[in-house]
Amino acid sequence: MQVGEDGDPELVPAVVLQACQLLCFPFSLDVDTETLLQVMEAVRDSEIPAHLLQVCWHHLPFSETALPISLLCHLVLSDERVVDQLVRVAAASDRATAFLSAVLLSDCPLLTMDLLALLAHVARACPAHLPFLQKILAGSDSAYQLLTHLLCHQEHPIRAKACSLVGNLLRHGQDFPRVLQSQAALLEHLLGCLADQDKSVRKSASFAVGNAAYQGGSLPRALGKAVPGLVRLLSDPQGRTRCNAASALGNLGRQAAELGDVLIQNRAPHLLLDVACHDSQPAVQEAALIALRSISQQPPIHQVLVSLQAWEKLVALSISDAQPSSCGSPRPSSAHHCRKLIHLLRPTHSA
């Protein structure tokens, strides 16, 4: 700031970049935890994150902002208290929000990815920050064309991070579920990401759709077209994606009873039962069991599960789970959900 006021303006980028390099040192070295906490406290108390953002939109050419934004992203991810400081400064300036929107539209993928990671963390941290985020993403016409553009970006890491941002925007409810439902292009591109060729995009999209399905109101009903894609993801090579898909199907079945027929037509009860009994990862099995507990509350799905002899299969699973695992102990959480589901499906209960 001093160089910009009293010296040669051409020196500003060089000075800022050297200062950023110095600030990066503690995070690139093997620094003990106590020292790193002291460094972060000093950075926060000096309001360096706010100054980093201000210098980007006030003094730096766009091409020189990659390192400051990368450092800013690291600081935000390292300390939750930095988020409030950053949002306070950025939300007070139209130039700041215009700059951030421009970064998201830039032809520098690394810069865009860093900012998307930063914004996703801001969304995750506190629902009070959602108006600030929507100001950046919605555009002057509130059509969310910027966010829609990011969901179909040619770079798959950007599509993945855009899906993660949507998922975090949906965590707190508020009015973003209504936005997603009202913007047909935005919803269409999000659902399209469920079938993306890249595994990280599919994982992030299934997370976002699961959060959307968790919301009340009419949004879950609008997600009926997501069911075929989510069912396919139950056999995805990535365990986290299978877990997200199972959870999303359970959320849809719980929030929108009218989707019961859609779930049955797409064999969701069949495949969830198969995943619950046979998936190689315990976390995925548990997600499938929880989903089955949710959708089995619907009488038609309950009858399908009975016809599949789900009770017998789950009893066999519970006996297997009661045996010590490779870690030396049974899985109590999965066992709990399995017992609850057995209770719901046992012949005397259904009679």
Side-chain angles (χ1 to χ4, degrees), residues 203-338:
K203 179 179 72 172
S204 298
S206 58
F207 159 71
V209 173
N211 279 0
Y214 185 77
Q215 306 302 321
S218 56
L219 178 57
R221 292 192 291 275
L223 293 171
K225 63 181 82 172
V227 172
L230 292 170
V231 168
R232 285 193 296 272
L233 291 182
L234 290 175
S235 58
D236 192 88
Q238 234 182 357
R240 185 68 253 175
T241 302
R242 299 197 301 276
C243 194
N244 289 343
S247 297
L249 289 167
N251 289 342
L252 285 175
R254 180 176 62 251
Q255 296 287 1
E258 58 269 41
L259 292 181
D261 289 341
V262 178
L263 292 169
I264 293 171
Q265 290 164 10
N266 286 275
R267 303 185 73 247
H270 304 66
L271 295 172
L272 283 169
L273 180 61
D274 185 66
V275 169
C277 293
H278 303 297
D279 197 275
S280 60
Q281 296 191 15
V284 181
Q285 288 185 290
E286 182 174 350
L289 287 167
I290 294 172
L292 286 169
R293 284 185 62 190
S294 296
I295 67 175
S296 65
Q297 305 291 333
Q298 296 192 31
I301 294 179
H302 187 281
Q303 290 304 313
V304 168
L305 291 171
V306 169
S307 70
L308 293 171
Q309 298 182 315
W311 184 82
E312 291 86 347
K313 293 175 182 178
L314 291 167
V315 168
L317 176 65
S318 68
I319 294 172
S320 172
D321 276 354
Q323 304 301 319
S325 68
S326 59
C327 299
S329 61
R331 301 188 296 270
S333 185
S334 290
H336 167 76
H337 294 296
C338 192

Side-chain angles (χ1 to χ4, degrees), residues 1-17:
M1 292 170 66
Q2 192 67 30
V3 170
E5 293 172 3
D6 300 336
D8 183 355
E10 294 183 1
L11 289 176
V12 172
V15 172
V16 168
L17 294 179

Side-chain angles (χ1 to χ4, degrees), residues 52 144 257 274:
L52 276 171
Y144 284 84
D274 185 66

Side-chain angles (χ1 to χ4, degrees), residues 36-175:
L36 199 57
L37 289 174
Q38 291 174 347
V39 169
M40 279 303 306
E41 183 179 2
V43 165
R44 188 179 64 251
D45 292 347
S46 303
E47 297 195 341
I48 285 176
H51 291 312
L52 276 171
L53 183 58
Q54 288 170 329
V55 80
C56 283
W57 86 70
H58 273 304
H59 299 296
L60 291 185
F62 198 83
S63 60
E64 302 286 352
T65 58
L67 179 58
I69 291 295
S70 179
L71 175 59
L72 186 59
C73 179
H74 194 95
L75 295 175
V76 166
L77 294 174
S78 299
D79 190 336
E80 292 278 351
R81 289 166 292 182
V82 169
V83 175
D84 292 333
Q85 182 185 121
L86 183 70
V87 171
R88 185 181 70 250
V89 170
S93 169
D94 289 338
R95 288 184 63 185
T97 53
F99 166 76
L100 294 172
S101 296
V103 169
L104 294 175
L105 287 170
S106 74
D107 56 1
C108 179
L110 292 177
L111 183 59
T112 302
M113 284 188 283
D114 278 338
L115 183 55
L116 281 171
L118 186 155
L119 295 179
H121 188 69
V122 171
R124 184 166 54 245
C126 178
H129 301 324
L130 295 186
F132 161 69
L133 294 168
Q134 290 180 243
K135 184 179 179 182
I136 296 170
L137 299 168
S140 58
D141 57 358
S142 298
Y144 284 84
Q145 293 179 0
L146 172 55
L147 189 52
T148 302
H149 163 75
L150 293 168
L151 288 172
C152 56
H153 198 279
Q154 63 180 359
E155 297 285 344
H156 66 81
I158 291 179
R159 297 196 301 275
K161 290 186 181 299
C163 289
S164 293
L165 174 57
V166 172
N168 282 300
L169 287 167
L170 289 161
R171 286 171 65 97
H172 307 292
Q174 297 200 357
D175 65 337

